[in-house]
Each structure stands twice: as C-alpha cells, then as structure tokens.
Amino acid sequence: MSSTALAAFLRARRARIRPEDVGLPGGVGLRRTPGLRREELAALAGVSVDYYIRLEQGKETNPSSAVLGALAGALRLDDEARSHLFALADHVARRRRVHRPPDRAVTASMRLLLENLRPCPALLLSRTSDVLAANPEGLALYHGLVEWPPGRRNTIRYMFRHPGAPALFGDWRSSAAGAVADLRTVLATDPDAPDVAALVEELSAVSPEFASLWERHDVRRKSGAQKVFHHPAVGTLSLVWEVLRSGDGSTRLTVHQAARGTPDHDALSLLAIAADAAR
C-alpha cells in the first residue's frame, strides 16, 4: 500500500501541472491525459524516464532525498505537500515506523475540559474525524448530528452525507475541501490506515464530490480560521475556530468561539439553551 500511495500521489500531482506552467510548449494536438507527460516531468526533475516510470508504477522503493526534492520542485509542491511526499517515500523505503492509532478512550479530564468550554461548541475528534466526545453545543452546532448513532458520528461523514450540511456551512465547498485534505495527511503517518480506507470507500461510493476531492491528493492540516454557520435554530454565527492536536496527531480538539458581548456569543448562549433542552 505504501508504494501505491506514493505512486498515486505522483500521478495526481503530475496531472495538475500544465506544460505552460513550467515553460514548456503545449505541443500539437490533444493530450490523452491532462497535465505533464511522464517524460516531461522526468526531464524537469533531472531523472531518467525509466526511473520515474518505476516510481509511478510502485516498483522503485528507495528514492533519494535529492530525487524527491527535485520532483517536489518540478511538481511545484507547497511545504505541506512536499513533506507529505517525503513521508510517503519514507514508508516505501521502510525508513519510518508505521504509527498505529492509540487507544481512543476519552479521559475524565478531557470530558471536564469540554464541559468547562461551554457555551463554546467543542468536539474531540479522531484522526479520521470520528466524534469521540463533545459538549452539548458541539453536537448541536452540527445540526442533526445528534440523531445519528454515536458510532456513526463523524464530521466528514456529516459534511458529505447529511442533507442539511450544505446549507449549514457558510462556505461548504471550502470546508469540504479542507476536511478531505486533512484526511489525506493521515496517510503520511500510516499509508495502510484501515480507518481511512473504510471512510474513503464509504464516502466515495455515495458522494461524487468527495470522490473528486479525494482524487486531487491535496494535503493540508486543519488550522484555526473564521467560520460562518447558518444554523436553523439560532441563525447565522461567525465563529473563530481553533484546532488543538495531540502530540502524536491521533486526536484533535476543535473549539468554536465568539467574543463575549457580541451577537455571535449571544447566539452561542441560545445554542446552549437549545442543546440543554434536547438532552
């Protein structure tokens, strides 16, 4: 699976580079596939065509740092994508131990923290965005999520499978792309991740939007941002969203905040009342 993940990443990112982007002529006639040809990328990276083909076929298992750096430059990867490429290659060459997910148990202190963060919606998520624990506002913010069985509660699944999700998120497309790109980063630490494979298989089968985003091979860690929600119970909220990750990256705490005395904080108080009434 490691060599397959590296090969798929290279193919996907090669397809996104147009010849004119790197100073090459587009050529005559239509190209059978989008993006650069293998021989064009190999020339830009300074490697032989045969060697590059072996990489894309998953047959080359020990690419050097120099080769990876040259490929990253030719593919115009940003820092996160470059790091992802190197991490995938480390797994192919067995230079990195595969990290398995730790115990998903939620500590009493974490549950206390979630309670003390009220009325700010807060959720403790697994590396694949399973909801391990949440305060009432956290569940209420994702309107309708509480109606799903606990074992099915996952914020990425919600985004692509809940009928109310597109209307809830102020910028659903951006949020969806970010969620998929964050899920891709798990493969940098565990290319054989069974939890990722199961979620990807499920969502690809029911959501063309998810399948298309997954095939882009974007990688981006979720980080703090301003998020807008159009909540059916309390109206529009503009919230500051923060992400706090565990040391090994297996869990993350997401918190949505608003400054006291603002209409958005008042809306969070209403959300808390609605959440308590539903308990």
Side-chain angles (χ1 to χ4, degrees):
M1 177 65 178
S2 298
S3 60
T4 303
L6 175 61
F9 180 77
L10 289 171
R11 288 194 299 269
R13 299 310 289 250
R14 175 171 62 85
R16 291 166 59 174
I17 304 295
R18 300 175 302 172
E20 53 267 35
D21 292 337
V22 291
L24 294 175
V28 179
L30 295 175
R31 290 177 174 242
R32 289 184 299 175
T33 57
L36 294 177
R37 297 187 175 102
R38 287 171 170 174
E39 59 267 26
E40 291 171 334
L41 182 59
L44 288 170
V47 300
S48 73
V49 177
D50 288 343
Y51 182 85
Y52 181 73
I53 289 174
R54 286 177 59 81
L55 276 174
E56 278 205 4
Q57 292 176 338
K59 296 178 180 178
E60 174 54 52
T61 60
N62 193 25
S64 68
S65 295
V67 167
L68 294 171
L71 288 172
L75 290 169
R76 308 180 76 176
L77 302 183
D78 61 20
D79 289 344
E80 286 187 288
R82 178 188 173 91
S83 296
H84 188 73
L85 171 65
F86 273 74
L88 291 176
D90 282 346
H91 282 288
V92 172
R94 302 186 182 277
R95 291 190 290 258
R96 176 182 294 193
R97 181 177 62 86
V98 172
H99 297 279
R100 298 300 178 188
D103 186 5
R104 290 160 54 103
V106 182
T107 64
S109 60
M110 178 56 71
R111 294 190 184 279
L112 180 61
L113 175 59
L114 290 169
E115 182 66 23
N116 286 335
L117 286 170
R118 300 186 68 187
C120 295
L123 303 95
L124 180 66
L125 305 176
S126 74
R127 65 181 188 173
T128 56
S129 295
D130 288 337
V131 179
L132 304 179
N135 61 19
E137 293 83 355
L139 288 178
L141 182 63
Y142 289 81
H143 185 71
L145 180 62
V146 72
E147 298 168 5
W148 287 2
R152 293 285 293 166
R153 294 173 188 170
N154 175 292
T155 58
I156 301 179
R157 178 181 289 117
Y158 176 91
M159 189 166 292
F160 289 96
R161 300 205 64 173
H162 196 283
L168 176 67
F169 292 92
D171 189 345
W172 180 87
R173 292 187 182 280
S174 176
S175 295
V180 175
D182 186 85
L183 185 62
R184 269 279 178 199
T185 66
V186 178
L187 298 183
T189 56
D190 186 1
D192 302 309
D195 47 349
V196 176
L199 185 61
V200 169
E201 181 179 6
E202 172 196 338
L203 296 182
S204 295
V206 298
S207 172
E209 294 88 351
F210 176 88
S212 177
L213 288 168
W214 184 252
E215 288 306 313
R216 285 184 58 83
H217 285 256
D218 286 334
V219 286
R220 185 170 63 256
R221 284 280 190 178
K222 283 190 171 184
S223 58
Q226 195 82 18
K227 286 209 169 189
V228 175
F229 295 86
H230 302 297
H231 199 278
V234 299
T236 298
L237 306 93
S238 180
L239 304 175
V240 177
W241 177 59
E242 246 347 301
V243 181
L244 305 174
R245 296 182 183 272
S246 62
D248 62 0
S250 61
T251 60
R252 65 183 185 273
L253 177 67
T254 67
V255 184
H256 299 77
Q257 308 174 72
R260 293 185 181 277
T262 63
D264 293 312
H265 193 273
D266 293 341
L268 286 182
S269 298
L270 292 176
L271 187 67
I273 293 171
D276 281 335
R279 295 172 76 177

